[in-house]
Amino acid sequence: MRKRSLPLSRVYRLLEPGPVVLVTTARGSTANIMAMSWHTMMEFEPPLVGCVISNRNHSFGMLRAAGECAINIPTAALAAKVVACGNTSGRRVDKFKAFGLTPVPAARIAAPLVGECYANLECKVVDSRMAAKYNFFVLRVIKAWVDPGVKNPRTIHHRGRGAFMVAGRTIQLPSKMK
Amino acid sequence: MRKRSLPLSRVYRLLEPGPVVLVTTARGSTANIMAMSWHTMMEFEPPLVGCVISNRNHSFGMLRAAGECAINIPTAALAAKVVACGNTSGRRVDKFKAFGLTPVPAARIAAPLVGECYANLECKVVDSRMAAKYNFFVLRVIKAWVDPGVKNPRTIHHRGRGAFMVAGRTIQLPSKMK
């Protein structure tokens, strides 16, 4: 793949704007994909990501068993496939095959990356203490990939009921904030 | 204020796209404002929001003491003031006065709302068990306000180092997802 390794200290720049992401998990020879909007950065470096993966989702059990997953960030070009992933269950459908998405081997985890996404984050579960009550997991990003050709990614941001805000222009303001 | 009460079941639609927000807290007669991007929905209804408020921020102690805060959602028109809030500390500056923001009394909490923001969420802290390790708080939204005139809010989304993505157009896809 044409992606380059991204320094872990820059991962927050991919997730802070709040894009819908595709979470991939694996168990044996099967892999699954789910759409997710409920995530937040929790630490810059090592990058920690908190996310909610409902126990009604097939991915919940797979994440619990494997302890690892990938966060894949799509752009608007993939919006229809993202919705398709969100509207089906991995219990019944091989989403990679059904929606024409390409599983790409990860460097450090068993779950495949989604080749069509412009960025991919390989993650390990590091804290599950809030999984029982809130379905909330803390992930540590251990390897990050990004397509260096995508400078202003047209990420999609869920507004509910099939409405998505597409990332607009970027403005620059004088700021001391990281 | 011209805002209307928003059903709590719709709060997720405001926060899922990942906007930068202004968190307001109060202690006695003083109030503070901080800029925040590290938040996620955790439950639809009652709406739960998880967020990271660093213990290096003045707001951390105020939130700990009061157990309540407001999440105020600005649009691009307020971007310069949002950055100003992020670049100063409430230990030294009354940010409402310094940046010309209007404190508006909330209905159910002591912290003021930011009048210029198009939406305001009144929140109570309901779980602090991850505050010591991750500065992570679970908030319950108990009252929500939104300006009914703002249909496609130009929220801002932090990309790091003073760069902000401004919300672009909204697309509609056939989806069964909530």
PDB file of all heavy atoms in Angstrom, chain A residues 16 38 127 130 134 158-159 161-162 164 166 169-173 178, chain B residues 16 38 127 130 134 158-159 161-162 164 166 169-173 178:
ATOM      1  N   GLU A  16      -9.395  13.942  16.245  1.00  0.00           N
ATOM      2  CA  GLU A  16     -10.050  15.060  16.942  1.00  0.00           C
ATOM      3  C   GLU A  16     -11.213  15.671  16.172  1.00  0.00           C
ATOM      4  O   GLU A  16     -12.207  16.080  16.777  1.00  0.00           O
ATOM      5  CB  GLU A  16      -9.026  16.152  17.284  1.00  0.00           C
ATOM      6  CG  GLU A  16      -8.374  15.933  18.626  1.00  0.00           C
ATOM      7  CD  GLU A  16      -7.721  17.190  19.179  1.00  0.00           C
ATOM      8  OE1 GLU A  16      -8.305  18.290  19.075  1.00  0.00           O
ATOM      9  OE2 GLU A  16      -6.623  17.056  19.723  1.00  0.00           O
ATOM     10  N   TRP A  38     -18.713   7.081  17.969  1.00  0.00           N
ATOM     11  CA  TRP A  38     -18.563   7.399  19.391  1.00  0.00           C
ATOM     12  C   TRP A  38     -17.148   7.092  19.863  1.00  0.00           C
ATOM     13  O   TRP A  38     -16.874   6.048  20.456  1.00  0.00           O
ATOM     14  CB  TRP A  38     -19.599   6.626  20.216  1.00  0.00           C
ATOM     15  CG  TRP A  38     -20.987   7.152  19.989  1.00  0.00           C
ATOM     16  CD1 TRP A  38     -21.403   8.051  19.043  1.00  0.00           C
ATOM     17  CD2 TRP A  38     -22.167   6.817  20.742  1.00  0.00           C
ATOM     18  NE1 TRP A  38     -22.756   8.278  19.152  1.00  0.00           N
ATOM     19  CE2 TRP A  38     -23.253   7.541  20.185  1.00  0.00           C
ATOM     20  CE3 TRP A  38     -22.415   5.964  21.825  1.00  0.00           C
ATOM     21  CZ2 TRP A  38     -24.560   7.446  20.673  1.00  0.00           C
ATOM     22  CZ3 TRP A  38     -23.709   5.867  22.307  1.00  0.00           C
ATOM     23  CH2 TRP A  38     -24.766   6.615  21.737  1.00  0.00           C
ATOM     24  N   ASP A 127      -7.714  -0.928  28.460  1.00  0.00           N
ATOM     25  CA  ASP A 127      -8.540  -0.774  29.660  1.00  0.00           C
ATOM     26  C   ASP A 127      -9.992  -1.092  29.302  1.00  0.00           C
ATOM     27  O   ASP A 127     -10.574  -0.459  28.429  1.00  0.00           O
ATOM     28  CB  ASP A 127      -8.423   0.663  30.202  1.00  0.00           C
ATOM     29  CG  ASP A 127      -8.878   0.802  31.656  1.00  0.00           C
ATOM     30  OD1 ASP A 127      -9.826   0.090  32.052  1.00  0.00           O
ATOM     31  OD2 ASP A 127      -8.285   1.619  32.387  1.00  0.00           O
ATOM     32  N   MET A 130     -14.642  -0.068  31.964  1.00  0.00           N
ATOM     33  CA  MET A 130     -15.956   0.530  31.752  1.00  0.00           C
ATOM     34  C   MET A 130     -16.735  -0.159  30.630  1.00  0.00           C
ATOM     35  O   MET A 130     -17.740   0.361  30.147  1.00  0.00           O
ATOM     36  CB  MET A 130     -15.816   2.028  31.487  1.00  0.00           C
ATOM     37  CG  MET A 130     -15.359   2.778  32.753  1.00  0.00           C
ATOM     38  SD  MET A 130     -15.052   4.552  32.490  1.00  0.00           S
ATOM     39  CE  MET A 130     -16.704   5.199  32.732  1.00  0.00           C
ATOM     40  N   TYR A 134     -20.716   0.656  30.281  1.00  0.00           N
ATOM     41  CA  TYR A 134     -20.925   1.638  29.206  1.00  0.00           C
ATOM     42  C   TYR A 134     -20.517   1.132  27.817  1.00  0.00           C
ATOM     43  O   TYR A 134     -20.558   1.903  26.854  1.00  0.00           O
ATOM     44  CB  TYR A 134     -20.101   2.896  29.490  1.00  0.00           C
ATOM     45  CG  TYR A 134     -20.435   3.618  30.774  1.00  0.00           C
ATOM     46  CD1 TYR A 134     -19.586   3.543  31.881  1.00  0.00           C
ATOM     47  CD2 TYR A 134     -21.581   4.399  30.877  1.00  0.00           C
ATOM     48  CE1 TYR A 134     -19.869   4.228  33.056  1.00  0.00           C
ATOM     49  CE2 TYR A 134     -21.875   5.083  32.053  1.00  0.00           C
ATOM     50  CZ  TYR A 134     -21.019   4.993  33.133  1.00  0.00           C
ATOM     51  OH  TYR A 134     -21.294   5.670  34.295  1.00  0.00           O
ATOM     52  N   HIS A 158     -21.181  12.016  11.408  1.00  0.00           N
ATOM     53  CA  HIS A 158     -22.575  11.590  11.509  1.00  0.00           C
ATOM     54  C   HIS A 158     -23.452  12.618  12.214  1.00  0.00           C
ATOM     55  O   HIS A 158     -23.137  13.079  13.305  1.00  0.00           O
ATOM     56  CB  HIS A 158     -22.644  10.256  12.255  1.00  0.00           C
ATOM     57  CG  HIS A 158     -23.973   9.566  12.124  1.00  0.00           C
ATOM     58  ND1 HIS A 158     -24.672   9.078  13.190  1.00  0.00           N
ATOM     59  CD2 HIS A 158     -24.727   9.317  11.024  1.00  0.00           C
ATOM     60  CE1 HIS A 158     -25.794   8.530  12.770  1.00  0.00           C
ATOM     61  NE2 HIS A 158     -25.872   8.660  11.466  1.00  0.00           N
ATOM     62  N   ARG A 159     -24.575  12.947  11.601  1.00  0.00           N
ATOM     63  CA  ARG A 159     -25.540  13.867  12.214  1.00  0.00           C
ATOM     64  C   ARG A 159     -26.851  13.158  12.530  1.00  0.00           C
ATOM     65  O   ARG A 159     -27.823  13.804  12.904  1.00  0.00           O
ATOM     66  CB  ARG A 159     -25.788  15.059  11.293  1.00  0.00           C
ATOM     67  CG  ARG A 159     -24.498  15.863  11.004  1.00  0.00           C
ATOM     68  CD  ARG A 159     -24.805  17.145  10.261  1.00  0.00           C
ATOM     69  NE  ARG A 159     -25.663  17.988  11.069  1.00  0.00           N
ATOM     70  CZ  ARG A 159     -26.324  19.044  10.603  1.00  0.00           C
ATOM     71  NH1 ARG A 159     -26.221  19.370   9.336  1.00  0.00           N
ATOM     72  NH2 ARG A 159     -27.087  19.768  11.388  1.00  0.00           N
ATOM     73  N   ARG A 161     -29.621   9.606  11.607  1.00  0.00           N
ATOM     74  CA  ARG A 161     -30.645   9.251  10.610  1.00  0.00           C
ATOM     75  C   ARG A 161     -30.156   9.377   9.173  1.00  0.00           C
ATOM     76  O   ARG A 161     -30.875   9.885   8.309  1.00  0.00           O
ATOM     77  CB  ARG A 161     -31.893  10.123  10.800  1.00  0.00           C
ATOM     78  CG  ARG A 161     -32.499  10.048  12.188  1.00  0.00           C
ATOM     79  CD  ARG A 161     -33.396   8.864  12.326  1.00  0.00           C
ATOM     80  NE  ARG A 161     -33.930   8.738  13.700  1.00  0.00           N
ATOM     81  CZ  ARG A 161     -34.354   7.600  14.201  1.00  0.00           C
ATOM     82  NH1 ARG A 161     -34.333   6.496  13.473  1.00  0.00           N
ATOM     83  NH2 ARG A 161     -34.805   7.524  15.433  1.00  0.00           N
ATOM     84  N   GLY A 162     -28.925   8.936   8.927  1.00  0.00           N
ATOM     85  CA  GLY A 162     -28.427   8.932   7.545  1.00  0.00           C
ATOM     86  C   GLY A 162     -27.882  10.253   7.051  1.00  0.00           C
ATOM     87  O   GLY A 162     -27.447  10.351   5.909  1.00  0.00           O
ATOM     88  N   PHE A 164     -25.012  13.048   7.007  1.00  0.00           N
ATOM     89  CA  PHE A 164     -23.580  13.167   7.296  1.00  0.00           C
ATOM     90  C   PHE A 164     -23.081  14.541   6.870  1.00  0.00           C
ATOM     91  O   PHE A 164     -23.332  14.973   5.743  1.00  0.00           O
ATOM     92  CB  PHE A 164     -22.774  12.097   6.545  1.00  0.00           C
ATOM     93  CG  PHE A 164     -23.066  10.697   6.987  1.00  0.00           C
ATOM     94  CD1 PHE A 164     -24.130   9.987   6.431  1.00  0.00           C
ATOM     95  CD2 PHE A 164     -22.298  10.085   7.961  1.00  0.00           C
ATOM     96  CE1 PHE A 164     -24.414   8.690   6.842  1.00  0.00           C
ATOM     97  CE2 PHE A 164     -22.581   8.787   8.378  1.00  0.00           C
ATOM     98  CZ  PHE A 164     -23.637   8.087   7.824  1.00  0.00           C
ATOM     99  N   VAL A 166     -20.066  16.613   5.603  1.00  0.00           N
ATOM    100  CA  VAL A 166     -18.800  16.356   4.916  1.00  0.00           C
ATOM    101  C   VAL A 166     -17.823  17.465   5.289  1.00  0.00           C
ATOM    102  O   VAL A 166     -18.171  18.654   5.232  1.00  0.00           O
ATOM    103  CB  VAL A 166     -18.994  16.316   3.386  1.00  0.00           C
ATOM    104  CG1 VAL A 166     -17.669  16.029   2.687  1.00  0.00           C
ATOM    105  CG2 VAL A 166     -20.041  15.276   3.010  1.00  0.00           C
ATOM    106  N   ARG A 169     -13.781  23.328   4.401  1.00  0.00           N
ATOM    107  CA  ARG A 169     -12.442  23.922   4.296  1.00  0.00           C
ATOM    108  C   ARG A 169     -11.752  23.956   5.658  1.00  0.00           C
ATOM    109  O   ARG A 169     -12.406  23.847   6.701  1.00  0.00           O
ATOM    110  CB  ARG A 169     -12.560  25.340   3.737  1.00  0.00           C
ATOM    111  CG  ARG A 169     -13.144  26.344   4.715  1.00  0.00           C
ATOM    112  CD  ARG A 169     -13.361  27.692   4.047  1.00  0.00           C
ATOM    113  NE  ARG A 169     -13.594  28.761   5.022  1.00  0.00           N
ATOM    114  CZ  ARG A 169     -14.741  28.950   5.686  1.00  0.00           C
ATOM    115  NH1 ARG A 169     -15.765  28.148   5.493  1.00  0.00           N
ATOM    116  NH2 ARG A 169     -14.859  29.948   6.553  1.00  0.00           N
ATOM    117  N   THR A 170     -10.433  24.108   5.624  1.00  0.00           N
ATOM    118  CA  THR A 170      -9.670  24.242   6.864  1.00  0.00           C
ATOM    119  C   THR A 170      -9.218  25.691   7.021  1.00  0.00           C
ATOM    120  O   THR A 170      -8.731  26.296   6.062  1.00  0.00           O
ATOM    121  CB  THR A 170      -8.457  23.290   6.858  1.00  0.00           C
ATOM    122  OG1 THR A 170      -8.933  21.939   6.927  1.00  0.00           O
ATOM    123  CG2 THR A 170      -7.548  23.538   8.053  1.00  0.00           C
ATOM    124  N   ILE A 171      -9.435  26.240   8.209  1.00  0.00           N
ATOM    125  CA  ILE A 171      -8.964  27.596   8.498  1.00  0.00           C
ATOM    126  C   ILE A 171      -7.823  27.504   9.497  1.00  0.00           C
ATOM    127  O   ILE A 171      -7.722  26.556  10.271  1.00  0.00           O
ATOM    128  CB  ILE A 171     -10.093  28.496   9.064  1.00  0.00           C
ATOM    129  CG1 ILE A 171     -10.696  27.882  10.345  1.00  0.00           C
ATOM    130  CG2 ILE A 171     -11.184  28.713   8.002  1.00  0.00           C
ATOM    131  CD1 ILE A 171     -11.736  28.765  11.027  1.00  0.00           C
ATOM    132  N   GLN A 172      -6.934  28.499   9.449  1.00  0.00           N
ATOM    133  CA  GLN A 172      -5.770  28.501  10.349  1.00  0.00           C
ATOM    134  C   GLN A 172      -5.864  29.719  11.257  1.00  0.00           C
ATOM    135  O   GLN A 172      -6.011  30.835  10.769  1.00  0.00           O
ATOM    136  CB  GLN A 172      -4.481  28.544   9.519  1.00  0.00           C
ATOM    137  CG  GLN A 172      -3.201  28.437  10.339  1.00  0.00           C
ATOM    138  CD  GLN A 172      -2.983  27.045  10.934  1.00  0.00           C
ATOM    139  OE1 GLN A 172      -3.185  26.046  10.260  1.00  0.00           O
ATOM    140  NE2 GLN A 172      -2.581  26.975  12.205  1.00  0.00           N
ATOM    141  N   LEU A 173      -5.767  29.493  12.557  1.00  0.00           N
ATOM    142  CA  LEU A 173      -5.818  30.595  13.507  1.00  0.00           C
ATOM    143  C   LEU A 173      -4.559  30.556  14.364  1.00  0.00           C
ATOM    144  O   LEU A 173      -3.975  29.496  14.575  1.00  0.00           O
ATOM    145  CB  LEU A 173      -7.055  30.461  14.404  1.00  0.00           C
ATOM    146  CG  LEU A 173      -8.397  30.674  13.687  1.00  0.00           C
ATOM    147  CD1 LEU A 173      -9.544  30.188  14.557  1.00  0.00           C
ATOM    148  CD2 LEU A 173      -8.587  32.142  13.345  1.00  0.00           C
ATOM    149  N   LYS A 178      -1.940  22.643  21.353  1.00  0.00           N
ATOM    150  CA  LYS A 178      -1.386  21.535  20.594  1.00  0.00           C
ATOM    151  C   LYS A 178      -2.439  21.047  19.612  1.00  0.00           C
ATOM    152  O   LYS A 178      -2.160  20.792  18.461  1.00  0.00           O
ATOM    153  CB  LYS A 178      -1.010  20.414  21.558  1.00  0.00           C
ATOM    154  CG  LYS A 178      -0.241  19.264  20.913  1.00  0.00           C
ATOM    155  CD  LYS A 178       0.295  18.323  21.975  1.00  0.00           C
ATOM    156  CE  LYS A 178       1.208  17.264  21.366  1.00  0.00           C
ATOM    157  NZ  LYS A 178       1.767  16.379  22.406  1.00  0.00           N
TER     158      LYS A 178
ATOM    159  N   GLU B  16     -22.161  14.112  17.917  1.00  0.00           N
ATOM    160  CA  GLU B  16     -21.509  13.066  17.123  1.00  0.00           C
ATOM    161  C   GLU B  16     -20.569  13.596  16.035  1.00  0.00           C
ATOM    162  O   GLU B  16     -19.552  12.977  15.768  1.00  0.00           O
ATOM    163  CB  GLU B  16     -22.572  12.152  16.476  1.00  0.00           C
ATOM    164  CG  GLU B  16     -22.943  10.983  17.361  1.00  0.00           C
ATOM    165  CD  GLU B  16     -23.617   9.852  16.597  1.00  0.00           C
ATOM    166  OE1 GLU B  16     -23.174   9.504  15.484  1.00  0.00           O
ATOM    167  OE2 GLU B  16     -24.587   9.318  17.126  1.00  0.00           O
ATOM    168  N   TRP B  38     -12.010  16.724  23.086  1.00  0.00           N
ATOM    169  CA  TRP B  38     -11.942  15.310  23.457  1.00  0.00           C
ATOM    170  C   TRP B  38     -13.207  14.885  24.182  1.00  0.00           C
ATOM    171  O   TRP B  38     -13.266  14.803  25.407  1.00  0.00           O
ATOM    172  CB  TRP B  38     -10.693  15.052  24.315  1.00  0.00           C
ATOM    173  CG  TRP B  38      -9.426  15.161  23.500  1.00  0.00           C
ATOM    174  CD1 TRP B  38      -9.287  15.648  22.230  1.00  0.00           C
ATOM    175  CD2 TRP B  38      -8.102  14.774  23.914  1.00  0.00           C
ATOM    176  NE1 TRP B  38      -7.976  15.587  21.835  1.00  0.00           N
ATOM    177  CE2 TRP B  38      -7.231  15.063  22.837  1.00  0.00           C
ATOM    178  CE3 TRP B  38      -7.582  14.227  25.084  1.00  0.00           C
ATOM    179  CZ2 TRP B  38      -5.850  14.800  22.903  1.00  0.00           C
ATOM    180  CZ3 TRP B  38      -6.211  13.973  25.148  1.00  0.00           C
ATOM    181  CH2 TRP B  38      -5.366  14.248  24.064  1.00  0.00           C
ATOM    182  N   ASP B 127     -20.061   9.945  36.663  1.00  0.00           N
ATOM    183  CA  ASP B 127     -19.058   8.894  36.899  1.00  0.00           C
ATOM    184  C   ASP B 127     -17.666   9.518  36.768  1.00  0.00           C
ATOM    185  O   ASP B 127     -17.323  10.069  35.723  1.00  0.00           O
ATOM    186  CB  ASP B 127     -19.243   7.753  35.887  1.00  0.00           C
ATOM    187  CG  ASP B 127     -18.548   6.468  36.318  1.00  0.00           C
ATOM    188  OD1 ASP B 127     -17.468   6.542  36.938  1.00  0.00           O
ATOM    189  OD2 ASP B 127     -19.088   5.376  36.025  1.00  0.00           O
ATOM    190  N   MET B 130     -12.778   7.191  36.206  1.00  0.00           N
ATOM    191  CA  MET B 130     -11.591   7.245  35.357  1.00  0.00           C
ATOM    192  C   MET B 130     -10.953   8.636  35.347  1.00  0.00           C
ATOM    193  O   MET B 130     -10.114   8.933  34.506  1.00  0.00           O
ATOM    194  CB  MET B 130     -11.943   6.789  33.951  1.00  0.00           C
ATOM    195  CG  MET B 130     -12.225   5.275  33.917  1.00  0.00           C
ATOM    196  SD  MET B 130     -12.765   4.677  32.297  1.00  0.00           S
ATOM    197  CE  MET B 130     -11.183   4.304  31.550  1.00  0.00           C
ATOM    198  N   TYR B 134      -7.210   9.006  33.773  1.00  0.00           N
ATOM    199  CA  TYR B 134      -7.308   9.537  32.401  1.00  0.00           C
ATOM    200  C   TYR B 134      -7.900  10.940  32.323  1.00  0.00           C
ATOM    201  O   TYR B 134      -8.132  11.437  31.212  1.00  0.00           O
ATOM    202  CB  TYR B 134      -8.201   8.611  31.560  1.00  0.00           C
ATOM    203  CG  TYR B 134      -7.720   7.187  31.424  1.00  0.00           C
ATOM    204  CD1 TYR B 134      -8.338   6.149  32.128  1.00  0.00           C
ATOM    205  CD2 TYR B 134      -6.663   6.862  30.575  1.00  0.00           C
ATOM    206  CE1 TYR B 134      -7.931   4.832  31.987  1.00  0.00           C
ATOM    207  CE2 TYR B 134      -6.245   5.546  30.428  1.00  0.00           C
ATOM    208  CZ  TYR B 134      -6.884   4.541  31.141  1.00  0.00           C
ATOM    209  OH  TYR B 134      -6.472   3.233  30.996  1.00  0.00           O
ATOM    210  N   HIS B 158     -11.266  20.561  15.454  1.00  0.00           N
ATOM    211  CA  HIS B 158      -9.832  20.799  15.617  1.00  0.00           C
ATOM    212  C   HIS B 158      -8.967  19.798  14.864  1.00  0.00           C
ATOM    213  O   HIS B 158      -9.145  18.594  14.982  1.00  0.00           O
ATOM    214  CB  HIS B 158      -9.477  20.758  17.106  1.00  0.00           C
ATOM    215  CG  HIS B 158      -8.131  21.316  17.426  1.00  0.00           C
ATOM    216  ND1 HIS B 158      -7.221  20.655  18.211  1.00  0.00           N
ATOM    217  CD2 HIS B 158      -7.532  22.473  17.045  1.00  0.00           C
ATOM    218  CE1 HIS B 158      -6.125  21.387  18.314  1.00  0.00           C
ATOM    219  NE2 HIS B 158      -6.284  22.492  17.629  1.00  0.00           N
ATOM    220  N   ARG B 159      -8.016  20.303  14.109  1.00  0.00           N
ATOM    221  CA  ARG B 159      -7.059  19.446  13.406  1.00  0.00           C
ATOM    222  C   ARG B 159      -5.646  19.628  13.935  1.00  0.00           C
ATOM    223  O   ARG B 159      -4.693  19.117  13.344  1.00  0.00           O
ATOM    224  CB  ARG B 159      -7.106  19.731  11.903  1.00  0.00           C
ATOM    225  CG  ARG B 159      -8.500  19.494  11.302  1.00  0.00           C
ATOM    226  CD  ARG B 159      -8.473  19.593   9.795  1.00  0.00           C
ATOM    227  NE  ARG B 159      -7.575  18.576   9.248  1.00  0.00           N
ATOM    228  CZ  ARG B 159      -7.122  18.588   7.992  1.00  0.00           C
ATOM    229  NH1 ARG B 159      -7.479  19.543   7.173  1.00  0.00           N
ATOM    230  NH2 ARG B 159      -6.318  17.636   7.568  1.00  0.00           N
ATOM    231  N   ARG B 161      -2.712  22.381  16.169  1.00  0.00           N
ATOM    232  CA  ARG B 161      -1.839  23.525  15.874  1.00  0.00           C
ATOM    233  C   ARG B 161      -2.581  24.687  15.223  1.00  0.00           C
ATOM    234  O   ARG B 161      -2.096  25.284  14.263  1.00  0.00           O
ATOM    235  CB  ARG B 161      -0.687  23.089  14.969  1.00  0.00           C
ATOM    236  CG  ARG B 161       0.160  21.959  15.543  1.00  0.00           C
ATOM    237  CD  ARG B 161       1.218  22.489  16.469  1.00  0.00           C
ATOM    238  NE  ARG B 161       1.998  21.398  17.078  1.00  0.00           N
ATOM    239  CZ  ARG B 161       2.610  21.525  18.265  1.00  0.00           C
ATOM    240  NH1 ARG B 161       2.529  22.632  18.936  1.00  0.00           N
ATOM    241  NH2 ARG B 161       3.302  20.523  18.767  1.00  0.00           N
ATOM    242  N   GLY B 162      -3.780  24.967  15.707  1.00  0.00           N
ATOM    243  CA  GLY B 162      -4.513  26.132  15.208  1.00  0.00           C
ATOM    244  C   GLY B 162      -5.277  25.898  13.920  1.00  0.00           C
ATOM    245  O   GLY B 162      -5.921  26.817  13.414  1.00  0.00           O
ATOM    246  N   PHE B 164      -8.395  24.353  11.939  1.00  0.00           N
ATOM    247  CA  PHE B 164      -9.761  23.890  12.220  1.00  0.00           C
ATOM    248  C   PHE B 164     -10.475  23.603  10.910  1.00  0.00           C
ATOM    249  O   PHE B 164     -10.466  24.421   9.998  1.00  0.00           O
ATOM    250  CB  PHE B 164     -10.558  24.958  12.983  1.00  0.00           C
ATOM    251  CG  PHE B 164     -10.032  25.241  14.362  1.00  0.00           C
ATOM    252  CD1 PHE B 164      -9.007  26.154  14.551  1.00  0.00           C
ATOM    253  CD2 PHE B 164     -10.554  24.579  15.466  1.00  0.00           C
ATOM    254  CE1 PHE B 164      -8.508  26.412  15.819  1.00  0.00           C
ATOM    255  CE2 PHE B 164     -10.061  24.836  16.735  1.00  0.00           C
ATOM    256  CZ  PHE B 164      -9.032  25.751  16.919  1.00  0.00           C
ATOM    257  N   VAL B 166     -13.865  23.447   9.038  1.00  0.00           N
ATOM    258  CA  VAL B 166     -15.200  24.036   9.201  1.00  0.00           C
ATOM    259  C   VAL B 166     -16.210  23.096   8.549  1.00  0.00           C
ATOM    260  O   VAL B 166     -16.006  22.628   7.419  1.00  0.00           O
ATOM    261  CB  VAL B 166     -15.274  25.423   8.539  1.00  0.00           C
ATOM    262  CG1 VAL B 166     -16.667  26.025   8.718  1.00  0.00           C
ATOM    263  CG2 VAL B 166     -14.203  26.346   9.103  1.00  0.00           C
ATOM    264  N   ARG B 169     -20.935  20.770   3.698  1.00  0.00           N
ATOM    265  CA  ARG B 169     -22.319  20.452   3.345  1.00  0.00           C
ATOM    266  C   ARG B 169     -22.772  19.164   4.034  1.00  0.00           C
ATOM    267  O   ARG B 169     -21.947  18.363   4.483  1.00  0.00           O
ATOM    268  CB  ARG B 169     -22.451  20.307   1.833  1.00  0.00           C
ATOM    269  CG  ARG B 169     -21.837  19.038   1.274  1.00  0.00           C
ATOM    270  CD  ARG B 169     -21.870  19.031  -0.260  1.00  0.00           C
ATOM    271  NE  ARG B 169     -21.583  17.711  -0.820  1.00  0.00           N
ATOM    272  CZ  ARG B 169     -20.364  17.162  -0.909  1.00  0.00           C
ATOM    273  NH1 ARG B 169     -19.306  17.812  -0.451  1.00  0.00           N
ATOM    274  NH2 ARG B 169     -20.194  15.958  -1.438  1.00  0.00           N
ATOM    275  N   THR B 170     -24.085  18.971   4.109  1.00  0.00           N
ATOM    276  CA  THR B 170     -24.631  17.731   4.670  1.00  0.00           C
ATOM    277  C   THR B 170     -25.204  16.888   3.540  1.00  0.00           C
ATOM    278  O   THR B 170     -25.912  17.403   2.670  1.00  0.00           O
ATOM    279  CB  THR B 170     -25.720  18.044   5.712  1.00  0.00           C
ATOM    280  OG1 THR B 170     -25.088  18.661   6.845  1.00  0.00           O
ATOM    281  CG2 THR B 170     -26.422  16.770   6.175  1.00  0.00           C
ATOM    282  N   ILE B 171     -24.842  15.605   3.527  1.00  0.00           N
ATOM    283  CA  ILE B 171     -25.399  14.675   2.543  1.00  0.00           C
ATOM    284  C   ILE B 171     -26.344  13.713   3.258  1.00  0.00           C
ATOM    285  O   ILE B 171     -26.204  13.459   4.465  1.00  0.00           O
ATOM    286  CB  ILE B 171     -24.292  13.881   1.801  1.00  0.00           C
ATOM    287  CG1 ILE B 171     -23.405  13.102   2.791  1.00  0.00           C
ATOM    288  CG2 ILE B 171     -23.434  14.823   0.961  1.00  0.00           C
ATOM    289  CD1 ILE B 171     -22.364  12.206   2.130  1.00  0.00           C
ATOM    290  N   GLN B 172     -27.320  13.214   2.523  1.00  0.00           N
ATOM    291  CA  GLN B 172     -28.306  12.295   3.111  1.00  0.00           C
ATOM    292  C   GLN B 172     -28.196  10.944   2.421  1.00  0.00           C
ATOM    293  O   GLN B 172     -28.248  10.872   1.195  1.00  0.00           O
ATOM    294  CB  GLN B 172     -29.718  12.871   2.938  1.00  0.00           C
ATOM    295  CG  GLN B 172     -30.816  12.063   3.605  1.00  0.00           C
ATOM    296  CD  GLN B 172     -30.776  12.132   5.140  1.00  0.00           C
ATOM    297  OE1 GLN B 172     -30.590  13.202   5.707  1.00  0.00           O
ATOM    298  NE2 GLN B 172     -30.938  11.000   5.804  1.00  0.00           N
ATOM    299  N   LEU B 173     -28.022   9.888   3.192  1.00  0.00           N
ATOM    300  CA  LEU B 173     -27.934   8.542   2.636  1.00  0.00           C
ATOM    301  C   LEU B 173     -29.019   7.678   3.258  1.00  0.00           C
ATOM    302  O   LEU B 173     -29.436   7.930   4.394  1.00  0.00           O
ATOM    303  CB  LEU B 173     -26.552   7.940   2.931  1.00  0.00           C
ATOM    304  CG  LEU B 173     -25.389   8.614   2.194  1.00  0.00           C
ATOM    305  CD1 LEU B 173     -24.060   8.180   2.784  1.00  0.00           C
ATOM    306  CD2 LEU B 173     -25.425   8.279   0.710  1.00  0.00           C
ATOM    307  N   LYS B 178     -29.506   4.829  13.756  1.00  0.00           N
ATOM    308  CA  LYS B 178     -30.035   5.950  14.513  1.00  0.00           C
ATOM    309  C   LYS B 178     -29.078   7.134  14.347  1.00  0.00           C
ATOM    310  O   LYS B 178     -29.474   8.251  14.100  1.00  0.00           O
ATOM    311  CB  LYS B 178     -30.136   5.570  15.995  1.00  0.00           C
ATOM    312  CG  LYS B 178     -30.864   6.584  16.844  1.00  0.00           C
ATOM    313  CD  LYS B 178     -31.098   6.000  18.233  1.00  0.00           C
ATOM    314  CE  LYS B 178     -31.966   6.935  19.077  1.00  0.00           C
ATOM    315  NZ  LYS B 178     -32.207   6.375  20.429  1.00  0.00           N
TER     316      LYS B 178
END
